[in-house]
Amino acid sequence: MSTRGVIARQKGDSFEGRYHHWDSYPTALGKALWELAHNQFRDNLDEMLRILIDEHPAGWSTIVNKDFSLGVGFNNLDKGNCLTCGKPSWEHYYQEWESHGKRLTPKARQSMANGNYVALGHSFEAPHSTNVECYCHGDRSEDELLVTEKNAADIGCEYVYVFSTNGVMTILSSFNGDGSKMIGMFGMGNPEAKWGVLTVVPLDGPEPDWHSLQGW
Ligand SMILES: [Zn+2]
Ligand SMILES: [Zn+2]
């Protein structure tokens, strides 16, 4: 499910961070961030934020249910072989043959002339990948996108995970409609704010009950 979110650092009474596209609600992204902080990054929050925010400026497709130890990149279709036939991606498409050193047959040329580039009778079927997917490395190379409280709602983000230097993760949620539900971000009470505090999670405390935090 495309539920957009932000992984961010607190900046004064605002935040700065990166976009996260899939499953950004607390039971998925919240839990994933909690587990990253405690497992892969072993309570080294600076290192975790360096990777999540500084090293991947275009943001994330998803880090949920992914394994950082497998490396980071967008699903690269040239990695791994086809699930249907066991051949690499390029063999499936005539237009990629020559650059991989395979000569085009008369049949291949005729097929391409007719607008058909599928060489093996089916499209490449990628193996399921479990590596973390960002928008800046691997197959995708998108531009930096800095997400703050000013543009987060405009690009459809519903949840923001803000890390403070004191080891606290504050989860913000966009509140629609009834303004009385608003709690000002970080206690600032800005009447224009689109974000309210869903919960405050000290990372050295007990793991939250994520299911109680859905916020709707
Ligand atoms: Zn195949
Ligand atoms: Zn990246």
Side-chain angles (χ1 to χ4, degrees), residues 37-191:
H38 290 87
N39 299 325
Q40 277 92 338
F41 293 97
R42 299 193 178 280
D43 303 310
N44 187 345
L45 191 58
D46 285 346
E47 174 67 2
M48 177 170 122
L49 297 180
R50 191 178 65 76
I51 290 176
L52 290 176
I53 296 173
D54 302 330
E55 291 206 343
H56 298 280
W60 301 93
S61 173
T62 185
I63 67 166
V64 176
N65 292 327
K66 302 287 182 178
D67 186 349
F68 266 85
S69 66
L70 297 176
V72 178
F74 200 80
N75 258 346
N76 188 333
L77 297 185
D78 284 332
K79 274 189 211 139
N81 292 330
C82 177
L83 286 183
T84 303
C85 65
K87 292 181 175 168
S89 172
W90 65 266
E91 284 199 57
H92 291 71
Y93 308 102
Y94 290 131
Q95 77 269 27
E96 295 188 29
W97 280 17
E98 289 188 302
S99 64
H100 287 85
K102 183 167 174 153
R103 273 186 40 220
L104 285 167
T105 58
K107 180 181 163 229
R109 289 183 191 284
Q110 184 59 49
S111 180
M112 287 171 77
N114 293 334
N116 175 24
Y117 296 87
V118 176
L120 297 176
H122 64 273
S123 295
F124 177 70
E125 193 180 336
H128 179 65
S129 163
T130 54
N131 61 316
V132 196
E133 295 174 3
C134 69
Y135 288 131
C136 30
H137 295 82
D139 279 2
R140 300 278 285 257
S141 55
E142 298 183 5
D143 292 337
E144 170 169 8
L145 175 62
L146 185 68
V147 185
T148 70
E149 91 287 358
K150 293 194 171 62
N151 62 358
D154 292 342
I155 57 180
C157 295
E158 295 177 46
Y159 294 97
V160 186
Y161 298 83
V162 186
F163 293 89
S164 314
T165 48
N166 60 355
V168 168
M169 175 171 76
T170 302
I171 306 179
L172 307 177
S173 172
S174 58
F175 287 86
N176 299 314
D178 184 3
S180 66
K181 273 193 289 187
M182 277 298 306
I183 306 165
M185 188 169 46
F186 307 120
M188 296 302 284
N190 175 1

